[in-house]
Amino acid sequence: MISISDAYKIYQVGDSEVRALDGVSLTVEDGEFVAIVGPSGSGKSTLMNIIGCLDVPDAGAYQLDELDVTALSERRIAKARGRKIGFIFQGFNLLPKLNALENVELPLIYQNLPYAKRKAAALQALESVGLRDRATHKPDELSGGEQQRVAVARALAGRPSVILADEPTGNLDSKTGEEIMKLFHEMHAAGNTIVLITHDPAIAAQAERRVRMQDGKLYEDSKEGCA
């Protein structure tokens, strides 16, 4: 579970103070599919960094699976990030010299998982996104949609507490984007907790719950289920 309480993140830009997060509170229960939507500069990327344990708030509290992230050392935050967060990025972030299987395996290496176990986990994750037969292909041998599926498999392989997706359809055509969103619905149906960051209201509308960021503040939109 994610619980952020009264979080502030303030940057000094010249003589001005920018409140990227201005008293933000957010709770995401296990198994929820939540979209955080907002325009550029609204604070949603800052909130994503907090949720993903890439940054900590200047003030306020953040608990992830009852772990008080704001009280941890940098080393323990990095450990929590590696074990509890599965990242999916707009730019795929696949290493070009590694094949699909090796890209999916990579975060499992940092968890010190034995070779046989991490290979099995990576193959299972590729199978779950329909790409087991493409395991030996490198990124430049895959379509954009297939590369994003590899990125999804990489996020799933370590069985994280939260799947955190940053504009996952942003570099894809509309048809491929629909296929990736279908995959997100399948992940959600399987019980995964998903937090999706987007500027696109149409993508956000597919989540079961939406929250909006605007000028560093967060507003609840809906908890109604969507198809």
Side-chain angles (χ1 to χ4, degrees):
M1 184 186 77
I2 292 168
S3 178
I4 296 174
S5 302
D6 203 24
Y8 288 82
K9 193 69 181 180
I10 301 171
Y11 299 99
Q12 197 70 31
V13 180
D15 294 330
S16 301
E17 183 181 88
V18 176
R19 296 193 170 215
L21 295 184
D22 191 7
V24 167
S25 295
L26 174 67
T27 298
V28 179
E29 301 290 346
D30 290 343
E32 274 199 288
F33 182 2
V34 178
I36 300 172
V37 64
S40 177
S42 62
K44 66 183 188 299
S45 294
T46 302
L47 181 57
M48 180 197 74
N49 289 339
I50 299 295
I51 293 171
C53 300
L54 296 168
D55 200 356
V56 293
D58 295 327
Y62 175 30
Q63 287 193 324
L64 176 61
D65 288 344
E66 300 183 357
L67 188 68
D68 185 357
V69 176
T70 49
L72 299 180
S73 66
E74 288 187 12
R75 183 182 65 81
R76 291 191 65 196
I77 289 174
K79 186 176 180 180
R81 180 171 62 243
R83 293 188 178 276
K84 294 183 177 292
I85 307 291
F87 291 95
I88 302 170
F89 299 100
Q90 177 178 345
F92 316 143
N93 287 12
L94 303 179
L95 296 183
K97 293 185 178 181
L98 301 184
N99 63 32
L101 179 63
E102 291 164 339
N103 267 286
V104 175
E105 276 187 89
L106 195 59
L108 303 179
I109 293 174
Y110 298 127
Q111 293 183 23
N112 296 317
L113 207 64
Y115 172 74
K117 287 187 177 181
R118 71 172 184 258
K119 183 175 181 180
L123 282 171
Q124 183 178 4
L126 283 171
E127 185 169 3
S128 73
V129 300
L131 285 183
R132 188 184 178 108
D133 63 342
R134 307 287 275 174
T136 60
H137 289 67
K138 292 184 177 179
D140 64 1
E141 299 172 315
L142 302 170
S143 68
E146 287 173 331
Q147 289 183 58
Q148 189 61 294
R149 285 178 179 270
V150 172
V152 170
R154 180 182 57 194
L156 289 171
R159 299 182 180 276
S161 301
V162 178
I163 302 293
L164 184 58
D166 181 22
E167 303 282 4
T169 63
N171 281 345
L172 304 174
D173 60 72
S174 58
K175 182 176 183 298
T176 307
E178 289 174 4
E179 293 172 355
I180 293 300
M181 287 308 299
K182 181 180 177 182
L183 189 57
F184 274 89
H185 289 299
E186 291 171 358
M187 289 190 291
H188 177 228
N192 288 287
T193 304
I194 301 171
V195 178
L196 186 151
I197 315 298
T198 183
H199 71 280
D200 187 342
I203 295 295
Q206 296 190 48
E208 68 173 353
R209 177 182 162 211
R210 276 99 49 205
V211 296
R212 290 180 295 113
M213 287 295 299
Q214 185 70 45
D215 299 327
K217 295 184 179 294
L218 185 143
Y219 304 89
E220 189 84 23
D221 261 16
S222 175
K223 291 186 180 181
E224 297 176 2
C226 300

